[in-house]
Amino acid sequence: MLLWFVVTYWIISVAIGLWVALRVHNTADYAAAGHSMPLYVVTATVFATWFGSETVLGIPATFLKEGLHGVVADPFGSSLCLILVGLFFAVPLYRKKLLTIGDFYRHQYGRAVEVMVTICIVISYLGWVAAQIKALGLVFNVVSDDMISKQTGMLVGAATVMIYTLFGGMLSVAITDFIQMIIIMLGMVYIAWDLSGTAGGVGAVVQHAAAAGKFNFWPAPHLADVIGFFAAWITMMLGSIPQQDVFQRVTSSNNERTARNASILGGSLYFLFAFIPMFLAYSATLIDPALVSRYLDTDSQLILPKLILEHSPVFAQVMFFGALLSAIKSCASATLLAPSVTFAENVVRGFYRQMTDDQLLKVMRVVVLVFTVLVTFIAIRSELSIFKMVENAYKITLVAAFVPLAFGVYWKRATPLGGLLSVTFGATVWILCELLTPDAIVPPQLAGLLASLAGMIGGSLAVSRKRLKAA
């Protein structure tokens, strides 16, 4: 019965996405939903895009092992990212009326920086999207009681998400995200209410977690621990800001106020609801300690789904897996679309300046297809956990894209040379540190961020001095 529900829900949601796709007529519709989405839809798509597999499966598994200290990157860093976007970036970026985040780098720093940053952004999505595909395989495997293998589940999930994303773009993603946000919220709240009684109440779960030290958040007062904690926090908090999916939600808004408020509301809702899966997973230590022991050191991502299957009635299972599928599907569709759109606009189109809007739309859809095949292959081959795949995704954008974006928006003296050196220094230092000193006191991504900052300031000031001397 549960499997048939999953199949039925999957077919209906894909059909809705394809129906909405009939309204897509140009690249503005496809990449930015026609710049027409109201506050409640944009808020929903901000929330639903970020509330993905790592939130329901990855974060709870990490919380069980490491407590709040282990999830500083997500949800703490990721939710702050969205709030910072709303406070500092949404309005100035919306006013520029750009199609992609890559367009900002071209206007501010030139073609070379545009291509370099776009490639970094596309690479950053590989792990994130692969994590969603991997989670789809896990869900189909669990609900079918191993009748569907994880690999088959990945292939089926990736193909069906790709279909409506390929045809409907941001318009389909926005409408389906709105529906899926409702399902996620209802499902998470209901299953938390259902399992809290079995565990002895919310107070009993919280008290047990506190006694086990799971609420210890801050690092030990040692230099290496403090620096590592700070680096993990800013990796997602700052590295997620220069991302196409974030920019798409800003630019799809119907006005700049919507762009700002939706980012703040979406980030706040994400932070609050991210604690529900953590609560559910920790409830398992009280409800079924043997289950936790069985999976904690082998595949901790299975603890929550197995708990639901073994200790909840069918209706609760339907609510949970409906919410889980909604979370994964909304995140997967958004993260398939974002890198495909920016690669088509900021890399391919640069070589074919005479390309018409219809031709660009076709290129975007072809890139969605190719990107889906690539990330599905990575998902099948990767041994990393869902949480680690997502956490690692933002290192490259942190070191190569954040400083040029922030300084381009807020520092009038930022120059093309500064942007070029910022990207080059940041990416180069990060790669060298990852290869040569991955376990150093200063983590590679933090070293790369500092190098990016030095490149921006040094390159921009050097040009300013030359101009002064020439004058």
Side-chain angles (χ1 to χ4, degrees):
M1 181 177 178
L2 180 60
L3 179 60
W4 279 111
F5 161 77
V6 168
V7 172
T8 303
Y9 169 76
W10 197 256
I11 292 172
I12 291 173
S13 60
V14 172
I16 291 173
L18 289 174
W19 174 69
V20 175
L22 297 175
R23 297 172 56 189
V24 174
H25 303 297
N26 51 51
T27 54
D29 291 340
Y30 192 79
H35 309 287
S36 61
M37 294 293 104
L39 177 64
Y40 63 92
V41 174
V42 182
T43 300
T45 193
V46 168
F47 171 83
T49 297
W50 285 70
F51 202 96
S53 63
E54 72 283 358
T55 314
V56 183
L57 301 175
I59 294 175
T62 304
F63 175 74
L64 282 175
K65 292 181 178 180
E66 305 175 32
L68 284 182
H69 178 79
V71 296
V72 59
D74 195 4
F76 290 93
S78 54
S79 56
L80 275 173
C81 160
L82 296 171
I83 293 171
L84 289 175
V85 168
L87 292 174
F88 299 107
F89 293 95
V91 172
L93 289 178
Y94 184 86
R95 288 174 178 172
K96 292 183 181 295
K97 296 295 183 182
L98 304 173
L99 189 64
T100 69
I101 189 70
D103 290 344
F104 171 84
Y105 294 95
R106 181 179 70 250
H107 292 315
Q108 185 71 33
Y109 302 110
R111 172 66 176 163
V113 174
E114 173 195 17
V115 173
M116 292 168 66
V117 171
T118 297
I119 291 173
C120 290
I121 290 173
V122 170
I123 292 173
S124 74
Y125 277 99
L126 295 176
W128 192 6
V129 188
Q132 312 312 314
I133 302 302
K134 191 170 186 176
L136 286 174
L138 185 149
V139 172
F140 282 117
N141 175 255
V142 169
V143 299
S144 67
D145 197 20
D146 292 327
M147 287 191 298
I148 300 175
S149 69
K150 291 181 181 179
Q151 182 171 326
T152 302
M154 290 183 208
L155 294 172
V156 172
T160 49
V161 170
M162 180 199 69
I163 289 173
Y164 79 83
T165 306
L166 186 149
F167 289 104
M170 187 61 197
L171 202 57
S172 287
V173 169
I175 300 304
T176 53
D177 277 359
F178 176 69
I179 297 170
Q180 284 158 181
M181 174 184 167
I182 297 172
I183 296 172
I184 290 169
M185 288 183 167
L186 291 177
M188 287 291 111
V189 170
Y190 177 82
I191 199 66
W193 172 80
D194 181 75
L195 280 183
S196 64
T198 308
V202 174
V205 176
V206 172
Q207 186 176 7
H208 193 279
K214 296 301 180 182
F215 293 151
N216 294 334
F217 179 70
W218 299 107
H222 303 296
L223 182 62
D225 292 332
V226 172
I227 293 176
F229 179 85
F230 176 73
W233 196 337
I234 66 170
T235 296
M236 289 193 72
M237 182 174 66
L238 303 182
S240 304
I241 290 175
Q243 288 285 14
Q244 175 63 17
D245 66 282
V246 176
F247 179 81
Q248 278 180 312
R249 275 125 198 87
V250 168
T251 195
S252 67
S253 303
N254 55 10
N255 57 60
E256 61 187 46
R257 182 182 297 178
T258 295
R260 179 192 64 218
N261 294 342
S263 295
I264 296 172
L265 286 173
S268 302
L269 285 173
Y270 174 75
F271 182 76
L272 293 174
F273 274 81
F275 283 92
I276 295 180
M278 284 189 268
F279 169 81
L280 294 174
Y282 196 82
S283 298
T285 61
L286 299 178
I287 298 171
D288 193 343
L291 183 146
V292 176
S293 299
R294 186 162 69 248
Y295 290 107
L296 188 61
D297 296 322
T298 54
D299 194 351
S300 55
Q301 296 165 156
L302 284 171
I303 291 175
L304 185 51
K306 290 291 185 181
L307 176 71
I308 302 300
L309 285 174
E310 296 177 14
H311 295 278
S312 296
V314 173
F315 181 73
Q317 293 175 21
V318 168
M319 293 295 290
F320 173 78
F321 284 102
L324 177 56
L325 283 172
S326 294
I328 298 171
K329 191 163 73 65
S330 60
C331 189
S333 59
T335 50
L336 275 177
L337 177 67
S340 304
V341 165
T342 193
F343 185 83
E345 164 70 9
N346 300 114
V347 176
V348 177
R349 192 178 193 179
F351 295 104
Y352 302 96
R353 290 294 183 186
Q354 303 305 316
M355 188 183 297
T356 65
D357 193 75
D358 285 343
Q359 290 172 331
L360 179 59
L361 182 58
K362 291 177 182 177
V363 171
M364 287 180 178
R365 285 170 168 158
V366 170
V367 177
V368 169
L369 174 62
V370 174
F371 195 75
T372 303
V373 173
L374 179 59
V375 295
T376 304
F377 176 78
I378 293 173
I380 292 172
R381 301 280 299 188
S382 178
E383 297 297 328
L384 291 175
S385 69
I386 291 170
F387 185 83
K388 283 298 179 184
M389 291 175 76
V390 173
E391 184 181 24
N392 290 337
Y394 299 105
K395 291 180 179 179
I396 188 170
T397 45
L398 174 69
V399 303
F402 172 71
V403 170
L405 176 64
F407 277 68
V409 172
Y410 285 105
W411 196 38
K412 294 181 179 180
R413 299 176 69 178
T415 65
L417 178 61
L420 181 62
L421 292 181
S422 180
V423 177
T424 304
F425 286 7
T428 302
V429 169
W430 170 64
I431 292 171
L432 289 175
C433 289
E434 288 283 4
L435 294 175
L436 302 176
T437 58
D439 299 318
I441 292 179
V442 177
Q445 70 268 33
L446 184 55
L449 177 63
L450 294 174
S452 178
L453 185 63
M456 171 59 70
I457 295 174
S460 297
L461 292 181
V463 172
S464 298
R465 291 194 190 98
K466 288 181 180 180
R467 288 173 179 170
L468 286 174
K469 289 180 180 179

